[in-house]
Amino acid sequence: MIEVYLAKTIVTMNASWPEATAIAIREGKILEVGTLESLQPWLIRFEHRVIDTYRDAVIVPGFIDPHLHPSMAAVILPMHFITAMPWSLPWGHVPATVTAEGFDQRLAEIAKVEDDEVLIVWGHHDLWHGAMTRSRIEAVESSRPVVVWNRSFHELHMNSACMSFLNITEDIVEGRPQIDYARGRFFENGLGYAIQKLNPYILAEARFTFGLERLKQVVAAGGHTTVGDMAVGLFDFDRELNVTRALFENDSTPFRIEQVPHGAVVTHQRTFEETNAFIESLIEGNTPRLHFRKRIKLFADGAFFSQLAQLLPPGYLDGHQGEWLMAPDVLEERIDLFWQAGYQIHVHVTGDMGVEVALDCLAKAQAKKPRFDHGFTLEHMGYATPEQLQRAKRLGASVSANIYYLHELSARYAELSVGYERASTMGRLASSFALDLTTAIHSDFTMAPAEPLLNMWVAVNRVNAQGEVMGPHECISAEQALAAVTINAAKVLGIDALTGSLRAGKTADMTILSDNPLTVPSMAIKDVKVLATVFEGELTQALQ
Ligand SMILES: [Zn+2]
Ligand SMILES: [Zn+2]
């Protein structure tokens, strides 16, 4: 049976047929986009049903977040949030906490009412909440294990009670990189060690499943029909795979997940041939909603939120250096191997030196074995120079940006991190669009709220949390922003022939909105409501 949805406006994101008022769907695919009249050749021939519930609403292609982390979200969402920005989550609203005193007070309140075996709070950020240390946590709570996880997720602090609970002693961590035992600080690779120790607790079956259920609600509430898991194996590859399948591979999941393996994890203790065979086997095991493809996620420089991005001169105001997640020579070797084998490569880059290294690797790979349509993607791209974007264009790279950095961080980073010029030009999206680079926007959830309309709003208005417009020449149009969360996001994931726009033959993935984000005043884009989604032809009403 054909189903015909009527709407006030259907924004197709297909330039040759940009607007419509009716869309016909059969067996999960779009038959035709047009008007009730123009659809008649189908409708006079076949049985059909007209759905006019949304005749006053606006239909856009199903939102796509090409880069978030279900497993990271599953670990974080059961934690207690103490954050500098307000967060609205399907199960409740978290108010902003913007001072050190406020942070400690909130921590004390949580410690008083919660009886978790290990009390974990997430959201600490030095620039609002002051430097964290083991002793500062102990001034609030010393008798039970407490972990204060950084906003960036790439760093945490714990108190002594937690160290003894986890059997972490000074001589055990001696000589391990990126651990400051005295301060109770574990960051980047040192965080990996702390996570191993915390795994039995944070990955405990019930807790992890609870977190993943919450992630499912978040993705659905944001109006997504596709998300990219941009590092499967962040914690425990097999566990993530199994729980994800159990929880998402069923009819109650109104979206698909495009899965990209974590490049350091799948290559660990495997030759490249073994890694390749392993990924091939994952692809063979694809199920209707969960898909691996020939894609890999690699990492260059450190976390943007903890100022560990690697910067070209003039660097940071205080002269500190960023960190490498993969040393440049290791990154180069991995890019070379996956490139030769025909993979689509996604590289986490936060600073302009990270971008430089990634582009150098790409240039070498291109010189050795030229490839077209390779989908090499710069992920996050906090800072990049205009010349780097031009070089990215010449090398055929794409951009998937976290534009929420600008909203949350630009005021503080102007004052305390990199100065005004670079803080206000982070996320150079207008430059990227002007070069016709494939440009997508992601949340990297929980690095930004998984709310495409909110992230579009940031990209269009470039208003920071203090209400100031930052880098107005890098504002993009609402239409470009919508492309960045639909068709361009599909291109970044290599699935644009399947979804991302509305035209005959594509999968019927749609998001139904209260208003048209292309015509409302730009400051109102974030107030447009998600009413429902249609995933492969199946309607799911949004929780209101
Ligand atoms: Zn990343
Ligand atoms: Zn990420």
Side-chain angles (χ1 to χ4, degrees), residues 186-216:
F186 300 76
F187 62 108
E188 302 301 357
N189 293 303
L191 176 78
Y193 175 76
I195 284 179
Q196 269 176 39
K197 292 294 203 173
L198 283 163
N199 266 353
Y201 181 71
I202 57 178
L203 289 187
E205 184 88 23
R207 184 182 168 102
F208 191 71
T209 304
F210 172 72
L212 218 47
E213 291 275 12
R214 284 192 152 179
L215 182 268
K216 192 170 172 177

Side-chain angles (χ1 to χ4, degrees), residues 67-69 72 154 230-231 234 297 299 348 379-380 405 442-445 447:
H67 181 149
L68 50 70
H69 299 288
M72 181 172 78
H154 290 235
M230 199 46 79
L234 218 42
K297 170 77 180 296
F299 297 82
H348 160 116
E379 299 283 340
H380 307 320
Y405 290 160
H442 64 242
S443 69
D444 199 18
F445 187 75
M447 293 303 107

Side-chain angles (χ1 to χ4, degrees), residues 205 208-209 212 238-248:
E205 184 88 23
F208 191 71
T209 304
L212 218 47
D238 294 334
R239 165 75 70 92
E240 289 172 33
L241 212 56
N242 294 336
V243 181
T244 304
R245 271 193 195 140
L247 215 69
F248 293 113

Side-chain angles (χ1 to χ4, degrees), residues 152 154 188 301-309 316 325 348 350 413:
S152 71
H154 290 235
E188 302 301 357
D301 52 334
F304 197 78
F305 276 95
S306 34
Q307 299 187 70
L308 295 177
Y316 291 99
L325 297 180
H348 160 116
T350 49
Y413 276 19

